[in-house]
Amino acid sequence: MTRILTNPNDTSATEPGGLGRRTLLKGAATVAASALLASRADARDYGANAEPQRYPDPDIVVIDPKRFKAKVGNTSIKRLYTGCLWAEGPAWNAQGQYLVWSDIPANRQLRYLDDDGHISEQFHKPSNEANGNSFDTEGRQISAERTRLVRYEHDGSVTALAEQANGKPLNGPNDMVVHPNDKSIWFTDPGYGAISIYEGKLANTGSVQPYQKEAVYRLDAQSGQLTKVADEPFKPNGIAFSHDYKKVYVCDTGITHYPQAENVVWSYDLDGTKLSNPKRLIDMKLDGKSGFPDGMRVDTEGNVWVGAGWVGPGYDGVQVFAPTDGARIGQIMLPETCANLCFGGKKRNRLFMTASQSLYAVYVETQGAHFC
């Protein structure tokens, strides 16, 4: 996901169909200033020489103890790396026991090695300003580049999987998941890389829909056929299967460009190759404030873990929701806006979080429901 508010001196009131840039900037600045003053005295130190965190970690918050049982009392949130411009798209490779993630404006992808904590700062560079990542059942990395969906082959070559839909260029893929049964790839196409020079290249089409209506697509692994499966979200962002593969969840961050949009997570019934019964499962409002639901993953109990932010302390980080009614049951509070997350580690019980400039991790008493 991206922020479009890049120039505080911009005299244009709105993007076509969008929010006022100056208004949003002033609001964000006010929230940030208030949060800074309120939290300066007790700000948590994540630096290399910080004192150990006392257990239990107070930034892992249990809201509903009957439904959120993932908090581990004798572990703490760790910052594994900082220095990104905008960290996104973490994905876990079980075969190689490593994590890959994107730094979109820096046009690179990084890799974290689980055995010794080594960080490869230029794992893929240039990355064509890639955003989301995943791995297929053969351990091949799939990336949502600015203009296309690609796969890194075992021999090091790169295969373009999708570049067009409906006879038009893709807006700009964002996130994807792979179904283990038929190997199909389901991905979102909001187009943030085509409406920002910071994270991509301006399409110059005069629309917040760079080339076509934003949508969710399914790519058939055998035929290569690309099919649009949903377009209810204003700007579909993160995507995840439910733990039992009966549903598909999609984050909607359309409020960045559409004033009528809301910060919600959509739920769809999954029937083979089709999606049906769209409904808004999760509302991101908390104490009268609402932040973006960017990326997400699902645990083995079916709970939905959502990277969230752009509000401030007490909100930014990861929020956990029950799958039945969308109720918020837990939080992991971070000092930075969290874009995306994934489960990894040898037991799939370590939550990795890409948050603005940094990579964080914490052990949890649950496991990721899926292989990536």
Side-chain angles (χ1 to χ4, degrees):
M1 206 205 86
T2 186
R3 293 293 283 168
I4 62 166
L5 314 176
T6 57
N7 183 2
N9 298 314
D10 193 340
T11 57
S12 61
T14 60
E15 291 272 356
L19 294 172
R21 290 179 173 178
R22 187 174 297 176
T23 300
L24 279 177
L25 276 172
K26 288 180 178 178
T30 301
V31 171
S34 300
L36 178 62
L37 291 173
S39 63
R40 186 182 297 276
D42 58 351
R44 179 168 174 173
D45 185 0
Y46 279 97
N49 299 317
E51 290 293 319
Q53 177 64 44
R54 181 179 293 277
Y55 293 152
D57 192 319
D59 289 328
I60 306 172
V61 180
V62 177
I63 297 174
D64 185 341
K66 292 185 178 180
R67 295 200 278 185
F68 183 68
K69 301 178 181 180
K71 178 171 181 174
V72 177
N74 58 340
T75 197
S76 65
I77 305 165
K78 302 291 185 183
R79 179 187 279 162
L80 303 180
Y81 178 84
T82 192
C84 293
L85 292 176
W86 179 246
E88 257 281 14
W92 179 256
N93 183 289
Q95 180 184 36
Q97 290 294 294
Y98 65 83
L99 180 90
V100 63
W101 80 97
S102 299
D103 184 359
I104 305 173
N107 199 22
R108 63 173 178 161
Q109 293 184 332
L110 301 86
R111 180 176 61 171
Y112 166 82
L113 300 181
D114 191 51
D115 54 358
D116 62 0
H118 174 75
I119 303 288
S120 303
E121 294 186 310
Q122 297 188 24
F123 180 54
H124 289 136
K125 185 176 177 66
S127 64
N128 194 21
E129 291 153 319
N131 192 322
N133 300 285
S134 188
F135 289 92
D136 64 15
T137 55
E138 295 183 31
R140 295 174 296 184
Q141 182 181 337
I142 300 171
S143 292
E145 293 186 347
R146 172 172 53 83
T147 59
R148 58 184 187 168
L149 190 74
V150 303
R151 182 177 63 217
Y152 289 85
E153 307 295 350
H154 293 306
D155 63 3
S157 62
V158 178
T159 299
L161 300 175
E163 297 182 82
Q164 292 189 338
N166 311 307
K168 302 176 183 179
L170 291 171
N171 293 313
N174 189 284
D175 201 2
M176 80 295 294
V177 286
V178 179
H179 200 295
N181 292 347
D182 61 9
K183 323 302 182 189
S184 59
I185 303 172
W186 302 65
F187 69 95
T188 59
D189 184 43
Y192 284 112
I195 48 181
S196 166
I197 59 174
Y198 182 58
E199 294 186 18
K201 183 179 180 180
L202 290 177
N204 290 323
T205 59
S207 173
V208 297
Q209 299 175 357
Y211 301 108
Q212 55 187 305
K213 175 69 177 72
E214 302 92 336
V216 181
Y217 294 93
R218 177 188 180 273
L219 180 66
D220 188 274
Q222 280 69 46
S223 67
Q225 180 179 354
L226 188 64
T227 305
K228 182 168 73 172
V229 291
D231 64 3
E232 287 80 10
F234 285 89
K235 281 197 174 293
N237 202 311
I239 184 170
F241 292 115
S242 62
H243 68 300
D244 54 9
Y245 291 96
K246 293 182 178 180
K247 295 183 180 295
V248 170
Y249 304 123
V250 179
C251 293
D252 192 346
T253 53
I255 200 170
T256 57
H257 290 77
Y258 298 98
Q260 67 271 38
E262 296 180 353
N263 291 318
V264 297
V265 176
W266 293 80
S267 171
Y268 295 86
D269 293 336
L270 174 58
D271 181 14
T273 63
K274 299 180 180 179
L275 298 182
S276 62
N277 191 28
K279 65 178 182 179
R280 300 182 181 190
L281 174 66
I282 295 169
D283 188 326
M284 296 301 294
K285 291 187 181 71
L286 175 63
D287 297 331
K289 299 177 181 179
S290 180
F292 297 149
D294 199 326
M296 61 186 159
R297 289 293 190 274
V298 175
D299 66 24
T300 50
E301 286 72 47
N303 298 316
V304 184
W305 300 59
V306 180
W310 300 104
V311 173
Y315 188 100
D316 295 356
V318 175
Q319 301 185 19
V320 189
F321 300 88
T324 51
D325 56 5
R328 183 180 283 101
I329 61 175
Q331 281 183 270
I332 298 175
M333 294 188 289
L334 299 177
E336 304 178 72
T337 284
C338 183
N340 215 323
L341 55 110
C342 76
F343 292 94
K346 292 179 175 61
K347 299 179 181 179
R348 292 201 325 279
N349 68 329
R350 196 178 190 192
L351 186 71
F352 292 92
M353 300 160 280
T354 49
S356 299
Q357 301 166 61
S358 307
L359 173 68
Y360 295 86
V362 65
Y363 287 97
V364 292
E365 193 57 33
T366 189
Q367 295 174 301
H370 310 305
F371 61 89
C372 178

